[in-house]
Amino acid sequence: MTDQHGELDAALERVIAAARAHLAAVRAAEGRIDDDNVWQAYVALNNASFAYDEQLLDAYGEVTPWDVESIDPDEADERFGGAEGVEATDPHPRVVSVRQRRDYRVPSVSALLRAAEAARREGIPEEDEPAPVEGVGEAVLELLQSGDGSLSALDVPELEPLDGVVMVSEVGTAVDLESFDDDDPVGPFQPAADDRLVGRLDEHPFLDLDEEHDHDHAH
């Protein structure tokens, strides 16, 4: 039993060390997407947690709250996109451009402003007083900035989504934001003459079945 205790302690220490290594990798990545070091540290933490859970189960019939499965490190490299140091040999000659638009209705201006001010308050120290959110447009921008920058940050009750569209194109050059004024609403989205539209996806808001039923009866 003493050996088993020692093995469990060692397994737990490996989990702690792997968790610290994962945190260090996350901090070093500074928000970079698909960072290889973060992925490798994630796999190591996952497998250390899995091993500890298995040993705890064998020793005491108990488990941790971690619902993980072992990840093969070699398969993990393939899932991430290939082994480190191997350069791709088939780059696409053009840039893929994704343009998206989605419109919203604002049922309550005051409710939207409150939601945006709450989001702004969460992003500053408690002792600081946030500036008030002035206007609907600023409120929407604040929700985007306080979230992850994607339109999913606008999936809030204070905004009612309307139709939207996503267009995927192949373009000759990537957008150069420095060549457009900050208040230019057209330039960054204006297609060039040699752009090739690959496809367009139309988005329609989900209509509640009860609302759809009432709408049909209204006609």
Side-chain angles (χ1 to χ4, degrees):
M1 183 63 71
T2 302
D3 290 343
Q4 200 169 43
H5 285 170
E7 291 174 0
L8 263 177
D9 288 339
L12 179 58
E13 289 301 323
R14 285 192 289 271
V15 173
I16 296 171
R20 287 176 174 154
H22 179 260
L23 177 58
V26 169
R27 285 173 172 165
E30 296 182 338
R32 286 193 301 273
I33 303 300
D34 290 342
D35 183 86
D36 184 58
N37 290 331
V38 172
W39 173 240
Q40 297 297 336
Y42 171 89
V43 172
L45 176 56
N46 177 91
N47 289 347
S49 302
F50 175 79
Y52 174 73
D53 197 64
E54 289 290 292
Q55 288 183 240
L56 186 65
L57 179 63
D58 290 342
Y60 296 106
E62 296 289 345
V63 294
T64 68
W66 311 323
D67 186 15
V68 297
E69 296 292 336
S70 180
I71 299 176
D72 186 308
D74 294 333
E75 292 182 4
D77 285 340
E78 294 177 3
R79 286 163 54 186
F80 188 82
E84 186 176 359
V86 178
E87 295 185 5
T89 58
D90 58 343
H92 192 56
R94 293 171 66 82
V95 175
V96 177
S97 175
V98 180
R99 298 177 176 94
Q100 183 172 15
R101 169 179 173 172
R102 185 184 299 160
D103 294 344
Y104 297 86
R105 181 178 289 113
V106 181
S108 170
V109 173
S110 58
L112 178 62
L113 294 180
R114 285 195 299 269
E117 288 176 349
R120 176 173 291 180
R121 193 173 296 109
E122 290 181 359
I124 64 173
E126 292 184 4
E127 61 272 15
D128 292 346
E129 184 64 27
V133 177
E134 299 178 354
V136 167
E138 184 178 339
V140 172
L141 186 60
E142 180 62 41
L143 291 176
L144 285 169
Q145 291 175 329
S146 300
D148 60 2
S150 71
L151 292 185
S152 63
L154 303 182
D155 292 337
V156 295
E158 292 79 11
L159 289 172
E160 179 184 330
L162 302 175
D163 285 354
V165 62
V166 179
M167 293 186 293
V168 178
S169 304
E170 291 185 353
V171 303
T173 57
V175 62
D176 179 13
L177 296 179
E178 298 299 325
S179 63
F180 303 105
D181 294 334
D182 291 342
D183 58 354
D184 183 354
V186 177
F189 296 94
Q190 185 68 38
D194 62 342
D195 288 359
R196 185 178 76 86
L197 178 64
V198 177
R200 162 180 155 174
L201 298 176
D202 293 344
E203 298 178 337
H204 302 287
F206 174 78
L207 185 62
D208 185 80
L209 292 179
D210 291 337
E211 293 181 5
E212 185 177 13
H213 181 74
D214 294 341
H215 180 75
D216 291 341
H217 276 281
H219 290 279

